């Protein structure tokens, strides 16, 4: 009996021009210190509280999608074209973009780029909407009162890399990786659910060859993986919030059974968070290799 695991390869590459909106599927992407170049280069700022917000707080952002406009410049990133929930288009260079976006999502927001805010303004946290940390976390992760909170220790230690964290719209880590074996594992528990990869908003989808049924990538935590010439430090598992169950652009329907199943069967974790160890251009079809180097403390 052959017990060897199948080869790994890059199946899909996704970049998200605007945080919490649908993204662009790419055949290749440049990886720099801050992750995929221009990933989460834009975000929306909630003008009522003066901070940038994700779909955890403004779910209708997920009903929009965005793409970069080649040959344009908004300073540190290109301009974007946004498809609103009704299918209409608006560009980031349109004087009416803020009003049209606010109307579409039902909240007064301003579209901002990484170059338009200071690091302090980008990382500033709003007061808890629910009043305290634990209640807020339960709301964000869709947890019941008797269910444990995810382990945030590994995730929070990355914030010490403030030179990266404070210059991007990532929540913490610059790269999210998900294997097809994890998707298959979840699908076996919720066979009727639509598990479109866009639900999980990962940058790199790794194909495991179709023969595995377990969360293979969790075995890589504390190690390094290579995708083509790029190398990543695998730091932590990705604790999934309610976004994975929300309605999204492209006809992806709301399905709360997905969140409940990830909590119950996968201890809230699906996919891995990584930091960039070595830059490079990754391409669909590139081999993915688990390296022997220990990434701990890197």
């Amino acid at each position: 009996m052959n017990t060897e695991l199948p080869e790994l390869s890059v199946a899909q590459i996704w970049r998200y021009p605007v945080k919490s909106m649908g993204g662009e599927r790419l055949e290749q992407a440049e990886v720099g210190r801050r992750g995929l170049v221009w990933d989460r280069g834009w975000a929306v700022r909630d003008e009522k509280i003066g901070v940038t917000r994700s779909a955890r707080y403004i779910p209708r952002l997920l009903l929009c999608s965005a793409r970069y406009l080649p040959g344009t410049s908004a300073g540190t990133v290109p301009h974007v074209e946004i498809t609103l929930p009704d299918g209409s288009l608006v560009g980031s260079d349109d004087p009416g973009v803020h009003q049209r976006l606010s109307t579409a999502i039902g909240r007064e927001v301003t579209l901002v780029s990484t170059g338009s805010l200071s690091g302090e303004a980008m990382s500033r946290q709003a007061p808890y909407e629910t009043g305290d940390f634990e209640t807020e976390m339960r709301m964000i992760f869709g947890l019941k009162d008797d269910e444990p909170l995810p382990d945030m220790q590994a995730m929070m230690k990355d914030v010490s890399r403030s030179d990266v964290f404070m210059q991007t719209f990532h929540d913490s880590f610059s790269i999210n990786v998900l294997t097809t074996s994890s998707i298959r594992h979840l699908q076996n528990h919720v066979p009727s659910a639509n598990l479109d990869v866009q639900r999980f908003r990962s940058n790199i989808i790794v194909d495991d060859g179709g023969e595995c049924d377990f969360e293979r990538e969790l075995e890589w935590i504390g190690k390094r993986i290579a995708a083509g010439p790029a190398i990543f430090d695998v730091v932590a598992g990705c604790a999934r919030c309610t976004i994975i169950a929300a309605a999204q652009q492209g006809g992806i329907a709301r399905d709360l059974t997905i969140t409940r199943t990830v909590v119950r069967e996968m201890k809230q974790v699906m996919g891995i968070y990584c930091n960039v160890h070595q830059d490079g251009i990754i391409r669909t079809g590139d081999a993915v290799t688990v390296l022997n180097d220990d990434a701990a403390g890197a």
Side-chain angles (χ1 to χ4, degrees), residues 3-213:
T3 59
E4 292 185 4
L5 293 172
E7 297 294 323
L8 301 166
S9 63
V10 176
Q12 298 181 29
I13 303 169
W14 288 87
R15 178 175 64 192
Y16 300 91
V18 181
K19 182 180 179 67
S20 287
M21 293 186 184
E24 303 173 304
R25 184 173 174 180
L26 308 173
E27 289 302 310
Q28 67 175 49
E30 181 181 353
V31 175
R33 177 168 170 75
R34 302 177 193 172
L36 267 62
V37 172
W38 300 335
D39 187 38
R40 276 82 169 184
W42 294 80
V44 297
R45 179 180 172 88
D46 187 328
E47 291 303 327
K48 183 177 180 179
I49 55 177
V51 297
T52 56
R53 278 300 204 195
S54 73
R56 295 187 184 97
Y57 294 93
I58 312 176
R60 282 187 63 81
L61 286 172
L62 292 168
L63 300 178
C64 304
S65 63
R67 70 179 186 92
Y68 279 117
L69 295 173
T72 65
S73 176
T76 57
V77 292
H79 280 290
V80 291
E81 180 182 72
I82 296 171
T83 302
L84 299 173
D86 65 359
S88 61
L89 304 175
V90 63
S92 54
D93 57 350
D94 185 325
V97 63
H98 310 303
Q99 183 57 55
R100 290 187 63 188
L101 188 54
S102 298
T103 300
I105 65 175
R107 190 176 303 202
E108 184 185 358
V109 295
T110 301
L111 185 67
V112 293
S113 67
T114 52
S116 64
L117 298 175
S118 67
E120 181 180 0
M122 290 174 66
S123 62
R124 180 186 165 202
Q125 298 296 309
Y128 297 131
E129 289 196 355
T130 59
D132 65 83
F133 174 78
E134 181 171 339
T135 305
E136 196 87 355
M137 292 302 101
R138 292 191 180 283
M139 178 192 73
I140 288 172
F141 291 106
L143 296 171
K144 298 179 180 179
D145 290 344
D146 60 346
E147 292 174 332
L149 293 173
D151 181 5
M152 305 295 289
Q153 184 176 0
M155 295 174 62
M156 293 305 294
K157 75 177 184 179
D158 185 67
V159 177
S160 63
R161 292 180 56 161
S162 58
D163 59 325
V164 175
F165 175 67
M166 295 186 69
Q167 297 178 56
T168 74
F169 287 122
H170 294 105
D171 289 333
S172 55
F173 296 85
S174 55
I175 294 287
N176 184 290
V177 176
L178 180 65
T179 63
T180 54
S181 58
S182 279
I183 297 173
R184 194 177 309 112
H185 179 73
L186 176 58
Q187 190 80 75
N188 287 339
H189 289 290
V190 281
S192 63
N194 173 9
L195 299 184
D196 191 302
V197 297
Q198 293 180 84
R199 283 194 184 276
F200 307 103
R201 307 187 62 76
S202 297
N203 298 114
I204 302 172
I205 306 297
V206 175
D207 184 2
D208 71 313
E211 299 179 19
C212 299
D213 175 19

Side-chain angles (χ1 to χ4, degrees), residues 8 154-155 172-182 200-206 215-226 232-240 266 268-275 288-290:
L8 301 166
M155 295 174 62
S172 55
F173 296 85
S174 55
I175 294 287
N176 184 290
V177 176
L178 180 65
T179 63
T180 54
S181 58
S182 279
F200 307 103
R201 307 187 62 76
S202 297
N203 298 114
I204 302 172
I205 306 297
V206 175
E215 296 177 82
R216 186 173 180 182
E217 62 268 40
L218 298 187
E219 297 181 344
W220 308 339
I221 295 173
K223 300 178 181 179
R224 289 193 176 119
I225 58 172
F232 307 100
D233 294 330
V234 183
V235 183
C238 176
R240 292 294 178 172
M266 304 168 78
Q268 197 83 39
V269 174
M270 186 177 178
I272 49 177
Y273 280 130
C274 305
N275 288 320
V288 175
T289 307
V290 182

